[in-house]
Amino acid sequence: MAANILLVEDEPAIQELIAANLGRAGHHVVRAGDAETAQRIVRDALPDLVLLDWMLPGMSGIELARRLRADERTRAIPIIMLTARGEEQDKVAGLEMGADDYITKPFSPRELVARIKAVLRRRAPQATEDAVELGGLSLDPATHRVFAGEQPVTLGPTEFRLLHFLMTHPERVHSRAQLLDQVWGDHVFVEERTVDVHVRRLRAALEPVGHDGLIQTVRGSGYRLSAQPAVAGV
Amino acid sequence: MAANILLVEDEPAIQELIAANLGRAGHHVVRAGDAETAQRIVRDALPDLVLLDWMLPGMSGIELARRLRADERTRAIPIIMLTARGEEQDKVAGLEMGADDYITKPFSPRELVARIKAVLRRRAPQATEDAVELGGLSLDPATHRVFAGEQPVTLGPTEFRLLHFLMTHPERVHSRAQLLDQVWGDHVFVEERTVDVHVRRLRAALEPVGHDGLIQTVRGSGYRLSAQPAVAGV
DNA sequence: GTGACCTGTCACAAAATCGTCAATTTCCTG
DNA sequence: CAGGAAATTGACGATTTTGTGACAGGTCAC
């Protein structure tokens, strides 16, 4: 259950302490000393969770939380706020602002880790997981199933993600690099040729159910999923 | 968001104060002055949430929480504990015992109401108490029985709840984390692989009565209950 | 007590999937 | 049509994910 956590805390001592504890719990921690930096990091790195001190120099924690909630891409990221004792107003405001939880300073490392774990696990399943249908082929992320008409298609996890991406971005040519970013994740280190292999496996799974020409090769550029045949006529 | 709330608090003055505030917030409040009474009320009335003072005469709040978590029927009821300042030990113990949240006394009415709202909101939509039937398999929460056609199936409590959840949410793929949330509750600290073990036990119980392929593994994602075979029949 | 369950975790076995490579084939350019 | 770049393919060892059996505690009804 390792996770990327952004810690927003201005006091170096506390920052250090928390980071050490989270690190020991197996999490990867990125730190920010102020809200502006934090905002930038969130946009760039999209952490799994934000640990947010409520009292910050400059932009307040509340304001940052509000902004994160306002942005489409960062809306789903859970926020745990750190408050000093007795800041009753803040707690209420924070919860209403969309914080998922709060912890009152001082807190024990165990409590912090326990709360993080709970929040991460509670994360709602993505809402934008609609089924895709295209040219007689349907794919449903919720059930994790693919059908060619009535016939089920069996795919490995990677092929499934690849097909999902292609079906949600049809007709466009995607370079191998783009596919690696989108399907594998932009942090992995994998040969570009690997894409070829998975495309091949995907084609092999689609061909027996009458979808051969579906994934087309664009020489020198990449691949494209298209309901239209690659070449007119013939 | 009106809810039935059981307030367990021995000090009449505080009891009165809290009850008044909750009532103003639109909740229906039932009160108990000690843990024994509370336990009885919970079994009878099945409130939506329990507000539990940690310091009680006789049976402690922790003990009550433990018992509620141990009982099949009351396990899912959220618990918010009320603690005095500085009782750090209690917080950790409480959270591990299954409390969904805690509030440090003294607290503001606004905060209390906000916390209650948050806890109720994140509670998973409760499965119906109606009997479920699916592909020759029937499960009745009321009688706590499972039948495969005419044949009774014997299950342990956890397997029963697991099957219940899967039957009420068929076809969908559930990650181990989601199953832990929904079946074990989001407050427990259990390894994800434990899910595997219980799935195995469930499969073992279902297989001799002709329901082998019912629970399917979706590699890399989780498990799925489906009347449809994973792969088209050969 | 005590014996019959249940539970959560491990360590290990079994399976499925992955990423690479090298050999081939295909396709474009001159 | 030759040459060479680009893509396809089949094979394979490495890695990751699941399935299993065993086990140490804990609970509960006798």
Side-chain angles (χ1 to χ4, degrees), chain B residues 132-139 146-151 153 167 209-211 214 227:
Chain B
V132 198
E133 178 129 15
L134 197 147
L137 199 66
S138 63
L139 177 151
V146 180
F147 286 92
E150 295 299 310
Q151 307 209 2
V153 182
M167 285 182 74
V209 289
H211 286 274
L214 197 62

Side-chain angles (χ1 to χ4, degrees), chain B residues 94-173:
Chain B
L95 284 174
E96 289 183 345
M97 206 78 262
D100 291 76
D101 213 331
Y102 66 80
I103 299 185
T104 305
K105 291 195 274 190
F107 46 81
S108 74
R110 289 192 64 196
E111 181 185 355
L112 177 61
V113 171
R115 299 304 285 164
I116 289 176
K117 192 172 171 184
V119 167
L120 287 178
R121 188 178 49 204
R122 76 179 179 226
R123 208 163 94 89
Q126 194 46 51
T128 62
E129 288 304 308
D130 297 331
V132 198
E133 178 129 15
L134 197 147
L137 199 66
S138 63
L139 177 151
D140 187 350
T143 64
H144 209 278
R145 289 215 161 115
V146 180
F147 286 92
E150 295 299 310
Q151 307 209 2
V153 182
T154 337
L155 297 177
T158 304
E159 279 77 54
F160 183 86
R161 267 179 290 125
L162 177 58
L163 179 59
H164 186 193
F165 176 76
L166 290 176
M167 285 182 74
T168 48
H169 301 81
E171 297 302 331
R172 277 188 78 95
V173 175

Side-chain angles (χ1 to χ4, degrees), chain A residues 46-94:
Chain A
L46 289 178
D48 299 311
L49 182 145
V50 177
L51 256 183
L52 180 57
D53 188 11
W54 230 224
M55 294 284 289
L56 291 172
M59 194 200 305
S60 75
I62 293 187
E63 175 59 18
L64 177 58
R66 200 189 58 71
R67 296 199 187 184
L68 294 184
R69 290 303 185 220
D71 187 325
E72 182 66 29
R73 290 165 302 174
T74 59
R75 179 167 312 178
I77 300 176
I79 298 175
I80 295 182
M81 57 172 162
L82 309 173
T83 71
R85 291 212 169 181
E87 295 174 351
E88 296 293 334
Q89 307 305 338
D90 284 358
K91 288 183 191 172
V92 176

Side-chain angles (χ1 to χ4, degrees), chain A residues 155-159 184 189-191 194 197-198 201 219:
Chain A
L155 300 176
T158 305
E159 280 78 53
W184 275 256
F189 177 68
V190 178
E191 293 293 323
T194 300
V197 178
H198 281 277
R201 288 172 179 160
R219 184 164 247 259

